[in-house]
Amino acid sequence: MAIDPLQEFLVQPVDASWLQCNIECQEACPVGTNCRGYLNLAAEGRFEEGYILSREPNPVAAMCSYVCSAPCERACRRGDIDRPLAIRAMKRFLVEWHEASGIPDVMPEITPRAERVAVIGAGPAGIAVARELAMKGVQVTVFDSLPYGGGTMLIGVPAFRLPREAIEMDVRLVERLGVTFRFNTTIGKDIPMADLQRDYDAVALTAGAMDPVALDIPGGDLEGVDYGVDFMKKANLGQELYVGKDVVVIGGGYTAMDCSRTSLRHGAEHVSIVYRRTRSELVVDEEELGETEREGVRMEFLASPIEVLGEDGHVTGVRFIRNRLGEPDASGRRSPVPIEGSEFEIPADVVIPAVSQAADLTFLPVEASFEINRGRVKVDPATYATNVRGVFACGDFVTGPTTLIEAAGHGKKCAYAIDRYLAGRTDVTVTPNVKITSSWRHDMPEFYDVLPRQHIPMAPLAARMPSTDPEVNFNIPVEHGYDATGAVAESTRCLMCNYNIWFDPFRCVLCGACADVCPEGVIHMVDVNQLKTEGLLPEIEESYGWENGGAMILDEERCIRCALCVKRCPFDAITMERFELQEISTDGRLYKESYRDAQLAGTPGVAGGAR
């Protein structure tokens, strides 16, 4: 590929933060999971070690392995070449392999402390807060009004996507750390909030956002309008559901997809999802969207509801108006703008609005005067503290509806803040410990660059809804997951982004052999005066003005780590650097870790072993 002689190149120093940002899957994960590490372990057949590495930073690893929104996959650099790694499906394989193996989970040695913390809500955020505090020896009690743990995962996500056993796995592991769960207990009714503030050293509000946001259009109160969160709660708790023949779901998130697929399993004949933006603005992952459409749900994009139509007090249909996309809104997504005269109608027996949810604040005592902002409890973004002393809040209760993994990430950070509050710490510093190992020998697995993304096995359509009994259909898993062969093949596709090419400027003679051999065309020799830097880079500053100065540049974004350049260089001027990092804080927490791939599980301080 010819390089434009007038093109400029931005050069950055190779330091710890730059190298870590190269491992984009881990950067994208709200709990900092070392995805690359467990994929590489799985590729070697080291499934138990891979499971431990995937479980350790993630309090809800089992639930995630089935229904995570997988931001890591959207960040995966393999997606720039063909398709990203199926990271979530790989985690599911490791979780299921571990469960089937019967190998017990290694529990850390915990030194008990006297402090007591109450957590209100046993959803992903509450489980995350409880686990992180319990690991530090704090006595934690979790209260929830539902009969089991899981929160939104239990009553919002259908059983054909998330088996109840996966929720139990995560709750059981947290219980083994010494956490007490008190179910069927509603704060504000069974126990006054003031009692918790009196009896516990700190209280964490993680009650989620399970109140539907009202559909503010004419006809929104007709019989047959059933809000998404209520609809899924009834389905998950085995209560009676009416769907009729025609169902219209309004919204484009995971709740909308779940409601539409649940309607089909309860006997609906025609189901439509109507979304006000385009397909590219949907936040659901491609597997979820693909399976929804495959099951027969019709997708209608760029349309907004303007009226629910009815006769004799019951829904008969919905009138919509077409949209076009205007300027980006506060979230960066382009806002829908109605097109005059483009109204159309869709018949419906049931209308399911699944546009958003809000937090229920009614259990909070009025006299405590919590600071509220737009229907949510206001917290300090650095400490997760509310304006009421000793009360913290996190998860969907604070942010509004997000995803499972975002709520868990919020919960972890909130737990760290509560721990600092209990210990009387005001500041914590995080020190990166970086290790870089140079090698002239580096071999990627065979066929890693040509292996296509492995199809995730799914149940055939006929097997998903074989019964006239909705409960049977509702509990039949759709995704079957990888077997060991598929898992090893998929994880072998990882590009090992912790490896980086390094040019030794004192050995390089600018022969260009590396550029010739590069299969991706990512190495170029350019005029040194085409380089620009952010900040001071002495090597570049000193070379400006050289008439015939040349530089070898490498586009890390598209490098596939094949190491052909390392092998081809006649002067050993190119090495493959393996980057390893630990970020440890002064309060003894491990904030991020991107190695231990080759270390054995169960060793003290390693991969889940006692610290």
Side-chain angles (χ1 to χ4, degrees):
M1 184 178 74
I3 290 284
D4 181 355
L6 300 176
Q7 186 176 344
E8 292 184 342
F9 299 91
L10 179 65
V11 185
Q12 292 174 291
V14 180
D15 56 15
S17 63
W18 183 83
L19 284 166
Q20 181 59 19
C21 286
N22 261 329
I23 307 173
E24 293 177 14
C25 53
Q26 185 170 9
E27 286 296 300
C29 178
V31 297
T33 309
N34 180 5
C35 322
R36 178 208 54 76
Y38 70 74
L39 288 168
N40 295 166
L41 286 166
E44 294 179 20
R46 298 160 66 181
F47 301 142
E48 180 63 14
E49 290 168 78
Y51 162 76
I52 291 166
L53 201 58
S54 72
R55 155 72 67 187
E56 196 176 54
N58 190 346
V60 289
M63 288 189 266
C64 266
S65 73
Y66 289 88
V67 294
C68 186
S69 58
C72 50
E73 292 187 26
R74 286 193 290 279
C76 175
R77 192 174 294 159
R78 180 85 194 215
D80 295 334
I81 293 162
D82 45 29
R83 293 181 69 203
L85 271 291
I87 301 173
R88 181 200 55 77
M90 277 305 306
K91 178 174 281 181
R92 172 177 169 172
F93 168 77
L94 294 171
V95 166
E96 289 182 342
W97 189 91
H98 169 79
E99 272 296 278
S101 73
I103 299 172
D105 283 278
V106 179
M107 290 289 112
E109 288 179 13
I110 295 172
T111 306
R113 284 160 51 180
E115 295 99 328
R116 301 174 71 218
V117 172
V119 177
I120 301 173
I127 289 171
V129 171
R131 188 186 89 148
E132 294 305 315
L133 288 173
M135 297 271 279
K136 282 290 185 178
V138 178
Q139 298 175 51
V140 183
T141 305
V142 181
F143 298 88
D144 200 290
S145 57
L146 293 169
Y148 309 100
T152 308
M153 295 297 106
L154 176 73
I155 60 171
V157 181
F160 58 83
R161 279 216 303 135
L162 176 62
R164 307 297 100 165
E165 295 82 6
I167 302 174
E168 276 299 300
M169 278 178 70
D170 288 330
V171 173
R172 191 175 67 230
L173 274 177
V174 176
E175 277 184 320
R176 285 185 61 194
L177 292 170
V179 173
T180 303
F181 284 87
R182 289 182 60 182
F183 297 120
N184 295 311
T185 305
T186 304
I187 302 304
K189 191 168 80 175
D190 300 322
I191 300 175
M193 175 76 179
D195 287 9
L196 298 184
Q197 290 173 263
R198 181 194 67 215
D199 298 339
Y200 291 85
D201 299 295
V203 177
L205 306 175
T206 63
M210 288 303 293
D211 278 11
V213 171
L215 191 64
D216 192 16
I217 57 172
D221 54 354
L222 286 168
E223 190 184 342
V225 175
D226 201 352
Y227 285 91
V229 282
D230 298 332
F231 183 84
M232 289 310 304
K233 184 174 182 178
K234 283 185 273 193
N236 277 304
L237 295 179
Q239 296 166 5
E240 197 174 334
L241 269 188
Y242 171 73
V243 295
K245 282 188 174 182
D246 299 310
V247 175
V248 172
V249 182
I250 300 167
Y254 283 99
T255 305
M257 304 292 153
D258 290 341
C259 289
S260 66
R261 297 173 75 184
T262 300
S263 300
L264 289 173
R265 283 158 176 77
H266 279 74
E269 292 177 14
H270 306 106
V271 182
S272 302
I273 289 178
V274 187
Y275 179 52
R276 60 189 184 143
R277 291 187 170 97
T278 67
R279 177 182 289 269
S280 57
E281 270 84 25
L282 288 171
V283 294
V284 297
D285 63 77
E286 62 178 271
E287 266 89 20
E288 172 77 353
L289 178 59
E291 293 309 314
T292 301
E293 290 184 302
R294 208 164 285 126
E295 288 176 6
V297 174
R298 175 172 157 248
M299 308 292 293
E300 186 78 58
F301 295 104
L302 286 171
S304 294
I306 50 176
E307 184 183 0
V308 178
L309 308 172
E311 274 179 26
D312 303 325
H314 197 282
V315 168
T316 58
V318 188
R319 181 176 289 126
F320 292 92
I321 188 165
R322 299 275 179 202
N323 297 323
R324 60 178 174 80
L325 290 184
E327 294 303 309
D329 62 12
S331 68
R333 295 193 296 178
R334 292 169 67 193
S335 304
V337 179
I339 300 168
E340 272 189 56
S342 64
E343 292 88 350
F344 67 100
E345 294 175 9
I346 300 179
D349 299 312
V350 170
V351 176
I352 305 175
V355 287
S356 193
Q357 289 122 246
D360 177 6
L361 307 179
T362 54
F363 68 89
L364 299 177
V366 177
E367 62 275 12
S369 61
F370 281 89
E371 219 175 300
I372 308 294
N373 179 31
R374 294 175 63 192
R376 301 170 194 159
V377 170
K378 205 171 174 185
V379 298
D380 182 320
T383 63
Y384 294 83
T386 66
N387 62 314
V388 176
R389 180 169 172 79
V391 180
F392 298 78
C394 66
D396 289 5
F397 192 72
V398 171
T399 61
T402 55
T403 60
L404 158 66
I405 192 64
E406 286 173 289
H410 220 232
K412 276 185 79 167
K413 290 175 188 148
C414 178
Y416 297 166
I418 294 171
D419 187 35
R420 288 196 294 271
Y421 165 79
L422 295 174
R425 286 179 178 270
T426 52
D427 64 326
V428 169
T429 56
V430 180
T431 310
N433 172 29
V434 178
K435 181 182 173 188
I436 297 177
T437 309
S438 297
S439 171
W440 282 275
R441 291 177 59 83
H442 170 74
D443 289 308
M444 295 291 279
E446 201 173 6
F447 304 125
Y448 82 100
D449 54 333
V450 293
L451 273 170
R453 177 170 163 130
Q454 302 296 296
H455 173 68
I456 301 168
M458 302 281 177
L461 284 176
R464 297 183 192 184
M465 293 171 254
S467 174
T468 52
D469 183 352
E471 195 173 329
V472 172
N473 295 338
F474 190 72
N475 285 283
I476 291 177
V478 168
E479 185 182 303
H480 286 169
Y482 290 131
D483 59 11
T485 306
V488 169
E490 180 59 25
S491 50
T492 298
R493 299 175 62 238
C494 177
L495 295 180
M496 298 193 192
C497 298
N498 62 321
Y499 282 89
N500 290 272
I501 303 291
W502 175 254
F503 295 93
D504 184 339
F506 298 105
R507 290 183 178 221
C508 179
V509 296
L510 300 175
C511 68
C514 53
D516 293 339
V517 81
C518 178
E520 294 294 316
V522 296
I523 303 176
H524 304 287
M525 192 191 307
V526 300
D527 183 332
V528 75
N529 295 295
Q530 287 179 258
L531 304 182
K532 294 286 177 281
T533 65
E534 282 181 349
L536 187 67
L537 264 180
E539 299 89 340
I540 304 297
E541 297 289 323
E542 290 167 12
S543 62
Y544 282 153
W546 287 13
E547 265 186 48
N548 299 314
M552 301 305 300
I553 61 167
L554 169 72
D555 179 1
E556 283 285 0
E557 290 291 318
R558 291 192 55 80
C559 174
I560 62 168
R561 316 290 187 275
C562 65
L564 287 176
C565 55
V566 177
K567 293 166 184 159
R568 177 68 184 85
C569 180
F571 295 98
D572 289 342
I574 308 175
T575 51
M576 188 67 91
E577 312 268 309
R578 188 176 79 244
F579 164 70
E580 304 173 23
L581 168 89
Q582 269 189 330
E583 286 183 357
I584 300 176
S585 63
T586 47
D587 62 350
R589 287 196 180 276
L590 185 63
Y591 272 76
K592 189 175 282 180
E593 191 161 33
S594 63
Y595 59 111
R596 297 187 306 175
D597 309 4
Q599 298 176 352
L600 293 173
T603 308
V606 169
R611 281 203 162 78

